[in-house]
C-alpha cells in the first residue's frame, strides 16, 4: 500500500500544527513495528472481534495488540497506553448504473486490510471499504487518517508500517504458511542404485551416529541418515547433508512421514522441500510399499470404481439434509488447514460444565489478571475460545431477505458464523514439532497435550482436568514364583483394543475377501465394502485380560522370568474418555487404520473393573531394584524399541519412554515403567535422550546444586542411575564429583558417608520449594493423595470424535455431541442437527457418570 493512498485526500479537521501539538504528549509511546514484532491487526486478543465487527478493532500503537470494543478500555486502564489505530471494514451497496445494474467492478483503492471476504455476499451488489483512524484515549478523540494532509513523521511511519505488517502467525507458525510445493527437477530422472537395500518398517537409526529421530532416506542409494541440527537442540548431526556433499545424490524422504497420501521430500540441490511425483516408485525400489492414490491395485482409476457408502459419507452424514444449528453452544470452528483434530477436541472439551465454569465462568477475572501480552497466556486463550463457542455471538442465523434489504440501504452488519482459532492454535502448539505444523495429527495425542497444559496452568482452586483423571491399578505377577506386585498410576484415557477375532460377521468378511481377490485378478471393480462388526463386550474383555510382560525381571528370582499384568480402575473418573485403538502399523510399512464397526453402548457399566488390591493368600514380590547394567560405552547400548512402544502406547511421551528403557538397561517395560513413575514430574521428563560419554563434562548451562561449581558437573544419566537406587539428588552429585564420576566408587563413597544423607534433607527441602512453586497443582500425589473424583462406574454417552481416512497422518475429524436431548454434528464451521449419528464408527468416546 502506498502511503499516499492512506494519508491523502479530504479536508483536515484541524491544522497540521495543532494536530502535531495534540500528539506530542503521546509520541514517546508510539512505536514503529520492527521485523521481530507481532502485529495483531485482524483479531482481538480477548475475543474474535475483527475489523469486520460492528465496533471494529483497536490496535495499540505501542504493543501492536488488537482489541475489540468491549476490551479496549481494559487495556487502556492496565497500561495507560492512549493512542490506538482503529480499523473498520464496511460493506456497502454498490451504486446502480444507468441500466439499473451495478457499476462495473473495479479495483477498490480503499481496501487495504488483509482480511478474508465474506463469501455470503454477492460481489456484484456489494463491495468492501476499509477505514483507519487514530483514536486517543480516554476522550476517544478520533483522527481520520484519509482526511489528514500531514502527520508527525513518526506517526505516519508507524501507521504505515502497522498497516503493511504481515500476519503474526507467519513467525509463530511458519509451517502453516508453506508455499505451494513444486516438483523437483530431479524427480523424473532420478537414478536409483540397484544395491539390494531394503528398508524395514521400524527400528531405523542413522548409519553414522545411531540417532533415531529426524531420519532421512536417500532415494538414490537407500542410506538412512540424520538431518541437520536446530537451534532448539532438536534435529540431528547433519549426516544426510554431508552424504549429499560427498555423493551428489539429491533427494531424500523423511522417515515417519510416509502415508498413502504422500511424504516429506527434500532436495539438497534445490535447498527446499519439493514434490516427487514418482515417490511411490522410488520408495518401492527399497521395499516400501506405499499405497497408490490415483490408481487402485487392480489398475482401475478411482472414478471407475462403483460408488459405495464410505466412512467419509457415513460419519459426515452425507446425502442427508441436515438442519443448521445456531446460538450459544452451536458455534463452528474454521479449519486452518488440517486443524480439524483441534476443532473436534475443543468442541467436546467445552461441552463439559467443569471446563465452562473454569474458563468462561471466570472470564472477567482471567481477563483482568492476564499478562501484558494476553496472546501468550494459556488461560486467557482458553477463556477466549470457550466464550467464542458458548456465547452465541459468533453463531447467528442468517437474516431474512427483507431485513437484509432494509439494512443494506444504510450499512451491512456482518453476521459472524463461526470462529477462527488461529491465535489459540499458534499459542497451544508453540514449540511442539507436530502440532505447530499444518499436518494432520492424532486427536488422542492432542487431547493429552491439552490436558498437560491445563495441569500446568492452574485456574481457580480446582483443576478442570480432574474430571478425566483416574487411578489405574497394575497387578504384575511372576509366573514362576506366583508372587505379585501392585502399583498405581494416573491416567486420563481408557484405551480399548479392537478384538478382531471376535467379529460377528466372519462369514461375510471371508466372502468379501474372496470376491475382492477375484475382482482384483479379473481387473473388475471391487465389491461393496464389508466392515468387521466387533462387539463392545469383546473389546472390554480384551482390556481386562492379562497381558504378557516382555523381559519381565522378577525380584523374587533375581532374574528375568515370564510375567503377566492386569489393569483395573482404582478410581472411576467423573468423565470417562474411551479410545478405540484402531491405528496400527502394517507389515507393508504403512500406518493403517482398522476399518471396523464397534457397537458402542449409550449406557456403560464398568463397575466390575474396580480394583481390589492385594488379596488374601497373595504374596508380594520383594521390593528389590534390578541390577543396573552400565556399558563401557553408553552409546553402544541399543535401546529395546519394543519396550519403548509398549510404554508409548500407554500415553507417555516417546522420548521419556526411550530414556526410561535406556536408564534401566533394557530390562523390560515393567522396570522402565517404574522409572517413568519416579521421574515424570521432572522438568526434562519429555526432553530428548542425550547420551554423553561417562567422562564428559556436562554443559555449562547445567544447574548446579547449592554452591557447587560447574567445572565437574556429573553426567545427568549417571545422576539418574544413583537416584534410582533411592539416594537424594544432591548426595548423588556429591558422590560422583568426589569420585571423578566413577559409579562404583560413588556408591562406596555414599555408604562410607552416612552422615551426609541426613544433612541433605534440609537442602533437599529448599530445592523442592524452589523447583515446585506450583506443587499444589503439578504434584501427582500429596498429603491427601492424588486428585481424583471417584464414584460410580456407570456412565452415559454424550459425545464422540470420529476419524475418516487411512491413518492419523491424514484424513478428517468430526465431533458429535448430545445437547438438549438431541445429537449435533460439529464438522468444522458446519454445525447441524444430526439425523444418523454414526456411534459405531467413532475413535474417541466421551461418557459422563450417572449419579448414583
Amino acid at each position: 500500500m502506498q502511503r499516499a493512498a492512506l494519508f491523502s485526500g479530504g479536508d483536515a479537521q484541524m491544522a497540521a500544527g495543532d494536530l502535531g501539538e495534540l500528539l506530542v504528549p503521546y509520541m514517546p509511546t508510539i512505536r514503529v513495528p520492527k521485523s521481530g514484532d507481532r502485529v495483531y491487526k485482524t483479531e482481538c486478543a480477548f475475543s474474535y472481534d475483527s475489523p469486520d465487527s460492528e465496533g471494529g478493532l483497536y490496535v495499540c500503537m505501542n504493543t501492536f495488540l488488537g482489541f475489540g470494543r468491549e476490551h479496549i478500555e481494559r487495556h487502556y486502564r492496565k497500561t495507560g497506553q492512549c493512542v490506538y489505530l482503529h480499523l473498520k471494514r464496511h460493506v456497502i451497496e454498490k451504486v446502480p448504473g444507468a441500466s439499473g445494474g451495478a457499476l462495473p467492478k473495479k479495483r477498490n483503492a480503499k481496501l487495504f486490510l488483509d482480511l478474508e471476504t465474506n463469501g455470503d455476499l454477492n460481489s456484484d451488489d456489494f463491495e468492501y471499504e476499509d477505514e483507519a483512524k487514530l483514536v486517543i484515549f480516554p476522550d476517544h478523540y478520533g483522527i481520520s487518517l484519509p482526511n489528514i494532509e500531514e502527520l508527525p513523521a513518526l506517526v505516519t511511519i508507524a501507521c504505515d508500517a502497522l498497516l503493511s505488517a504481515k500476519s503474526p502467525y507467519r513467525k509463530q507458525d511458519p509451517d502453516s504458511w508453506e508455499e505451494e510445493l513444486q516438483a523437483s527437477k530431479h524427480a523424473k530422472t532420478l537414478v536409483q542404485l540397484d544395491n539390494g537395500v531394503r528398508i524395514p518398517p521400524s527400528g531405523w537409526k542413522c548409519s553414522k551416529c545411531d540417532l533415531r529421530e529426524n531420519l532421512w532416506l536417500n532415494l538414490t542409494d537407500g542410506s538412512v541418515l540424520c538431518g541437520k541440527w536446530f537451534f532448539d537442540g532438536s534435529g540431528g548431526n547433519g549426516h544426510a547433508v554431508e552424504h549429499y556433499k560427498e555423493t551428489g545424490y539429491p533427494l531424500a524422504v523423511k522417515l515417519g512421514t510416509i502415508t498413502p497420501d504422500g511424504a516429506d521430500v527434500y532436495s539438497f540441490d534445490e535447498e527446499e522441500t519439493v514434490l516427487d511425483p514418482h515417490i511411490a516408485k522410488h520408495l518401492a525400489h527399497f521395499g516400501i510399499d506405499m499405497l497408490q492414490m490415483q490408481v487402485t491395485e487392480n489398475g482401475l482409476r478411482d472414478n471407475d470404481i462403483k460408488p459405495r457408502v464410505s466412512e467419509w459419507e457415513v460419519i459426515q452424514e452425507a446425502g442427508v439434509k441436515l438442519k443448521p444449528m445456531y446460538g450459544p453452544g452451536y458455534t463452528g470452528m474454521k479449519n486452518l488447514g488440517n486443524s480439524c483434530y483441534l476443532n473436534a477436541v475443543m468442541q467436546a472439551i467445552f461441552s463439559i460444565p467443569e471446563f465452562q465454569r473454569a474458563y468462561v465462568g471466570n472470564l472477567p477475572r482471567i481477563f483482568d489478571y492476564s499478562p501484558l501480552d494476553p496472546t501468550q497466556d494459556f488461560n486467557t486463550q482458553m477463556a477466549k475460545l470457550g466464550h467464542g463457542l458458548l456465547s452465541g455471538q459468533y453463531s447467528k442465523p442468517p437474516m431474512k431477505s427483507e431485513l437484509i434489504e432494509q439494512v443494506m440501504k444504510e450499512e451491512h452488519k456482518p453476521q459472524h458464523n463461526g470462529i477462527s482459532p488461529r491465535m489459540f492454535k499458534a499459542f497451544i502448539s508453540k514449540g511442539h514439532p507436530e502440532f505447530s505444523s499444518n499436518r494432520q495429527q492424532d486427536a488422542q495425542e492432542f487431547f493429552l497435550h491439552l490436558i498437560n497444559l491445563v495441569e500446568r496452568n492452574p485456574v481457580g482452586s480446582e483443576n478442570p482436568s480432574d474430571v478425566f483423571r483416574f487411578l489405574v491399578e497394575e497387578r504384575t505377577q511372576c509366573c514362576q514364583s506366583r508372587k505379585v506386585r501392585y502399583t498405581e498410576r494416573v491416567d486420563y484415557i481408557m484405551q480399548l483394543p479392537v478384538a478382531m477375532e471376535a467379529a460377528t460377521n466372519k462369514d461375510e468378511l471371508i466372502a468379501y475377501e474372496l470376491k475382492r481377490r477375484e475382482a482384483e485378478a479379473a481387473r473388475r471393480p471391487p465389491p461393496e465394502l464389508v466392515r468387521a462388526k466387533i462387539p463392545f463386550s469383546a473389546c472390554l474383555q480384551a482390556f481386562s485380560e492379562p497381558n504378557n510382560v516382555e523381559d519381565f525381571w522378577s525380584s523374587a528370582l533375581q532374574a528375568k522370568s515370564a510375567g503377566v499384568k492386569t489393569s483395573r480402575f482404582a478410581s472411576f473418573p467423573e468423565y470417562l474418555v474411551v479410545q478405540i485403538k484402531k491405528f496400527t502399523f502394517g507389515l507393508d510399512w504403512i500406518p493403517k487404520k482398522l476399518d471396523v464397526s464397534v457397537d458402542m453402548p449409550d449406557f456403560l457399566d464398568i463397575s466390575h473393573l474396580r480394583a481390589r488390591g492385594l488379596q488374601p493368600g497373595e504374596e508380594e514380590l520383594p521390593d528389590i531394584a534390578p541390577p543396573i547394567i552400565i556399558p563401557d560405552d553408553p552409546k553402544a547400548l541399543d535401546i529395546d524399541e519394543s519396550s519403548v512402544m509398549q510404554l508409548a502406547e500407554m500415553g507417555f511421551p516417546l522420548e521419556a519412554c526411550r530414556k526410561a528403557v535406556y536408564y534401566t538397561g533394557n530390562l523390560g517395560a515393567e522396570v522402565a515403567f517404574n522409572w517413568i513413575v519416579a521421574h515424570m514430574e521432572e522438568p526434562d521428563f519429555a526432553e530428548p535422550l542425550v547420551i554423553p560419554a561417562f567422562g564428559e563434562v556436562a554443559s555449562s548451562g547445567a544447574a548446579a546444586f547449592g554452591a557447587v561449581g560447574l567445572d565437574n558437573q556429573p553426567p545427568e544419566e549417571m545422576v539418574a542411575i544413583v537416584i534410582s537406587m533411592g539416594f537424594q539428588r544432591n548426595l548423588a552429585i556429591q558422590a560422583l564429583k568426589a569420585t571423578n564420576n566413577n559409579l562404583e566408587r560413588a556408591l562406596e563413597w555414599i555408604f562410607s558417608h552416612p552422615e551426609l544423607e541426613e544433612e541433605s534433607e534440609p537442602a533437599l527441602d529448599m530445592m523442592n520449594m524452589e523447583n515446585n512453586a506450583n506443587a499444589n497443582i503439578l504434584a501427582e500425589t500429596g498429603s491427601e493423595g492424588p486428585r481424583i473424583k471417584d464414584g460410580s462406574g456407570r456412565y452415559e454417552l454424550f459425545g464422540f470424535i470420529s476419524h475418516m481416512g487411512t491413518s492419523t497422518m491424514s484424513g478428517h475429524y468430526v465431533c458429535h455431541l448430545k445437547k438438549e436431548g438431541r445429537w449435533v454434528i460439529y464438522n468444522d464451521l458446519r454445525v447441524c442437527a444430526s439425523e444418523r449419528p454414526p456411534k459405531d464408527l467413532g475413535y474417541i468416546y466421551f461418557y459422563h457418570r450417572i449419579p448414583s
Side-chain angles (χ1 to χ4, degrees):
M1 182 196 66
Q2 298 295 323
R3 187 178 302 170
L6 177 60
F7 297 105
S8 63
D11 297 327
Q13 294 179 345
M14 61 175 64
D18 295 338
L19 183 58
E21 292 179 6
L22 177 67
L23 291 171
V24 163
Y26 311 109
M27 296 295 281
T29 67
I30 298 176
R31 292 200 306 122
V32 178
K34 295 177 295 193
S35 60
D37 290 327
R38 294 188 293 263
V39 178
Y40 296 92
K41 60 178 180 178
T42 60
E43 181 182 353
C44 173
F46 293 109
S47 71
Y48 292 93
D49 286 352
S50 71
D52 276 322
S53 304
E54 184 175 354
L57 190 74
Y58 295 83
V59 181
C60 175
M61 295 297 292
N62 182 268
T63 64
F64 312 121
L65 296 170
F67 302 97
R69 187 166 58 185
E70 295 181 5
H71 303 286
I72 182 62
E73 291 284 352
R74 175 185 290 106
H75 186 258
Y76 163 69
R77 293 194 306 268
K78 180 178 291 189
T79 65
Q81 174 64 27
C82 297
V83 183
Y84 297 84
L85 185 63
H86 182 256
L87 305 175
K88 180 74 178 79
R89 168 163 290 182
H90 303 277
V91 182
I92 59 177
E93 187 176 7
K94 290 183 178 180
V95 179
S99 61
L103 292 173
K105 185 176 181 180
K106 61 181 180 179
R107 182 180 179 276
N108 185 0
K110 295 184 178 181
L111 194 66
F112 50 78
L113 292 178
D114 184 19
L115 299 174
E116 296 178 355
T117 57
N118 188 342
D120 295 334
L121 292 179
N122 187 336
S123 60
D124 293 332
D125 298 324
F126 303 97
E127 65 180 353
Y128 293 98
E129 184 176 297
D130 293 339
E131 175 190 5
K133 65 180 179 181
L134 286 173
V135 177
I136 303 176
F137 279 69
D139 297 327
H140 295 264
Y141 185 84
I143 304 172
S144 298
L145 295 182
N147 296 326
I148 297 299
E149 290 286 338
E150 291 186 25
L151 283 172
L154 174 66
V155 178
T156 303
I157 296 172
C159 292
D160 195 15
L162 190 151
L163 288 171
S164 60
K166 300 296 183 183
S167 167
Y169 308 112
R170 292 179 186 264
K171 298 182 181 66
Q172 294 185 27
D173 192 8
D175 288 343
S176 296
W177 294 87
E178 297 173 354
E179 297 180 0
E180 185 177 354
L181 300 181
Q182 301 297 319
S184 171
K185 63 182 181 182
H186 301 288
K188 187 175 181 180
T189 59
L190 184 71
V191 176
Q192 293 188 283
L193 303 183
D194 191 11
N195 53 10
V197 173
R198 291 294 179 268
I199 305 300
S202 61
W204 331 293
K205 60 182 179 181
C206 177
S207 60
K208 291 188 177 181
C209 68
D210 290 343
L211 280 181
R212 295 176 181 271
E213 287 85 27
N214 192 24
L215 299 178
W216 293 79
L217 169 67
N218 190 287
L219 291 175
T220 295
D221 63 358
S223 299
V224 176
L225 299 161
C226 61
K228 63 181 180 180
W229 180 85
F230 297 109
F231 71 93
D232 62 355
S234 63
N237 296 316
H239 288 136
V241 179
E242 290 180 7
H243 184 68
Y244 161 70
K245 292 178 180 178
E246 295 170 359
T247 63
Y249 301 154
L251 297 184
V253 60
K254 187 173 184 180
L255 295 178
T257 68
I258 302 172
T259 72
D261 299 317
D264 291 351
V265 180
Y266 187 81
S267 172
F268 297 109
D269 177 49
E270 296 159 282
E271 296 185 343
E272 63 179 348
T273 303
V274 296
L275 288 178
D276 180 1
H278 309 285
I279 184 65
K281 181 184 74 172
H282 292 156
L283 290 172
H285 181 82
F286 299 109
I288 301 174
D289 182 15
M290 178 180 176
L291 296 183
Q292 298 183 19
M293 295 172 287
Q294 299 300 323
V295 181
T296 61
E297 291 178 342
N298 58 14
L300 294 173
R301 290 193 170 275
D302 290 338
N303 53 15
D304 296 329
I305 299 175
K306 177 183 176 182
R308 61 172 181 258
V309 178
S310 67
E311 66 175 354
W312 289 80
E313 296 169 303
V314 175
I315 290 175
Q316 297 186 97
E317 303 187 53
V320 180
K321 188 174 182 180
L322 302 178
K323 178 184 176 183
M325 303 286 285
Y326 300 98
Y330 299 105
T331 304
M333 297 174 68
K334 181 182 177 182
N335 192 324
L336 305 174
N338 287 329
S339 65
C340 52
Y341 67 92
L342 179 148
N343 295 350
V345 170
M346 298 315 300
Q347 291 285 8
I349 287 292
F350 276 112
S351 70
I352 296 173
E354 284 79 0
F355 278 85
Q356 296 174 0
R357 289 195 297 268
Y359 295 104
V360 183
N362 286 324
L363 184 141
R365 183 179 66 84
I366 292 175
F367 283 1
D368 286 341
Y369 290 94
S370 65
L372 292 180
D373 187 356
T375 68
Q376 302 302 303
D377 180 61
F378 176 76
N379 291 331
T380 299
Q381 293 308 309
M382 281 287 284
K384 170 184 171 177
L385 181 66
H387 181 264
L389 294 176
L390 301 174
S391 65
Q393 291 183 12
Y394 309 100
S395 177
K396 297 179 180 179
M399 304 175 71
K400 294 182 180 180
S401 57
E402 60 270 15
L403 294 177
I404 294 179
E405 183 178 354
Q406 180 180 355
V407 172
M408 289 301 179
K409 290 181 180 179
E410 299 179 4
E411 182 183 32
H412 174 75
K413 296 181 179 180
Q415 297 295 318
H416 291 280
N417 185 17
I419 60 177
S420 176
R422 189 170 297 280
M423 186 179 292
F424 178 80
K425 183 180 184 296
F427 173 76
I428 200 173
S429 62
K430 184 173 59 176
H432 194 286
E434 292 301 326
F435 299 135
S436 61
S437 73
N438 65 344
R439 296 185 293 271
Q440 186 62 276
Q441 304 298 332
D442 187 346
Q444 179 255 359
E445 292 181 2
F446 177 75
F447 172 80
L448 292 177
H449 175 67
L450 176 73
I451 294 302
N452 183 41
L453 290 175
V454 173
E455 290 277 336
R456 295 186 178 196
N457 296 272
V459 53
S461 58
E462 291 191 10
N463 196 312
S465 64
D466 289 352
V467 299
F468 300 123
R469 192 183 181 95
F470 61 92
L471 289 178
V472 178
E473 179 190 85
E474 303 278 11
R475 178 187 182 272
T476 307
Q477 184 174 35
C478 172
C479 296
Q480 189 169 341
S481 68
R482 311 303 297 175
K483 295 182 180 181
V484 298
R485 175 183 294 117
Y486 285 87
T487 57
E488 286 187 349
R489 62 177 173 85
V490 172
D491 211 335
Y492 296 89
I493 292 183
M494 180 185 188
Q495 295 181 309
L496 290 185
V498 177
M500 291 296 294
E501 69 281 356
T504 58
N505 58 340
K506 291 181 180 178
D507 292 341
E508 295 178 46
L509 292 171
I510 294 173
Y512 164 75
E513 184 61 22
L514 290 174
K515 292 180 181 178
R516 188 192 67 79
R517 291 181 180 179
E518 291 175 359
E520 181 179 340
R523 301 180 64 82
R524 297 196 308 267
E528 187 76 18
L529 174 68
V530 175
R531 187 175 284 117
K533 297 179 180 179
I534 312 295
F536 173 77
S537 57
C539 298
L540 202 60
Q541 179 64 28
F543 170 85
S544 62
E545 289 179 349
N547 294 314
N548 293 327
V549 180
E550 297 288 338
D551 295 319
F552 173 69
W553 187 86
S554 172
S555 60
L557 304 176
Q558 294 286 294
K560 287 189 176 182
S561 172
V564 293
K565 177 188 290 185
T566 53
S567 300
R568 294 291 185 270
F569 286 83
S571 69
F572 291 120
E574 183 73 21
Y575 288 84
L576 179 66
V577 182
V578 180
Q579 177 197 14
I580 305 297
K581 298 175 67 175
K582 293 184 174 183
F583 297 101
T584 182
F585 276 92
L587 296 178
D588 56 0
W589 213 84
I590 297 172
K592 293 182 178 179
K593 186 176 77 172
L594 301 175
D595 190 3
V596 297
S597 169
V598 181
D599 61 337
M600 296 297 293
D602 287 314
F603 296 93
L604 173 62
D605 190 347
I606 56 172
S607 301
H608 64 286
L609 295 179
R610 169 78 73 172
R612 297 181 298 171
L614 188 68
Q615 295 298 296
E618 289 184 334
E619 186 177 353
E620 289 190 90
L621 284 163
D623 190 13
I624 301 175
I628 301 298
I629 300 176
I630 306 172
D632 295 333
D633 180 6
K635 294 187 178 182
L637 180 61
D638 196 16
I639 297 176
D640 180 9
E641 292 297 334
S642 63
S643 296
V644 173
M645 294 312 298
Q646 285 185 59
L647 296 169
E649 288 178 356
M650 298 169 65
F652 298 116
L654 182 61
E655 285 299 332
C657 300
R658 297 192 69 245
K659 287 199 291 188
V661 174
Y662 171 77
Y663 288 138
T664 54
N666 282 337
L667 289 177
E670 174 72 14
V671 179
F673 172 78
N674 294 332
W675 187 94
I676 285 180
V677 172
H679 295 80
M680 63 191 308
E681 291 301 330
E682 295 178 0
D684 61 347
F685 174 65
E687 295 298 319
L689 174 64
V690 179
I691 311 175
F694 272 15
E696 244 178 64
V697 177
S699 65
S700 60
F705 177 78
V708 180
L710 298 174
D711 296 336
N712 189 31
Q713 186 73 11
E716 188 61 33
E717 74 276 4
M718 295 194 68
V719 176
I721 291 174
V722 178
I723 293 175
S724 69
M725 297 179 182
F727 300 108
Q728 305 295 353
R729 176 180 176 83
N730 64 311
L731 192 61
I733 293 175
Q734 271 187 284
L736 289 167
K737 287 185 175 183
T739 58
N740 197 23
N741 297 333
N742 184 299
L743 186 61
E744 293 183 7
R745 290 175 53 207
L747 295 176
E748 294 176 0
W749 189 92
I750 291 176
F751 289 122
S752 63
H753 295 77
E755 71 282 356
L756 293 177
E757 190 168 1
E758 297 178 2
E759 295 174 0
S760 69
E761 293 299 330
L764 179 67
D765 292 340
M766 182 180 298
M767 182 173 65
N768 286 339
M769 289 175 63
E770 294 174 354
N771 294 339
N772 297 290
N774 294 323
N776 59 320
I777 298 298
L778 298 178
E780 294 291 331
T781 59
S783 58
E784 299 179 359
R787 306 189 316 270
I788 56 173
K789 297 179 179 291
D790 197 7
S792 165
R794 298 172 60 246
Y795 295 91
E796 180 179 1
L797 181 69
F798 75 92
F800 59 95
I801 294 173
S802 307
H803 175 267
M804 296 151 280
T806 55
S807 79
T808 56
M809 302 170 71
S810 61
H812 183 59
Y813 285 98
V814 167
C815 179
H816 283 78
L817 296 172
K818 195 172 186 179
K819 291 191 174 183
E820 300 177 311
R822 72 174 303 166
W823 285 96
V824 180
I825 178 173
Y826 293 81
N827 189 356
D828 291 334
L829 281 172
R830 191 178 179 215
V831 180
C832 301
S834 174
E835 296 296 333
R836 294 197 295 260
K839 289 182 284 187
D840 60 322
L841 298 181
Y843 173 47
I844 302 175
Y845 294 84
F846 294 84
Y847 284 87
H848 180 237
R849 179 155 53 212
I850 300 174
S852 55

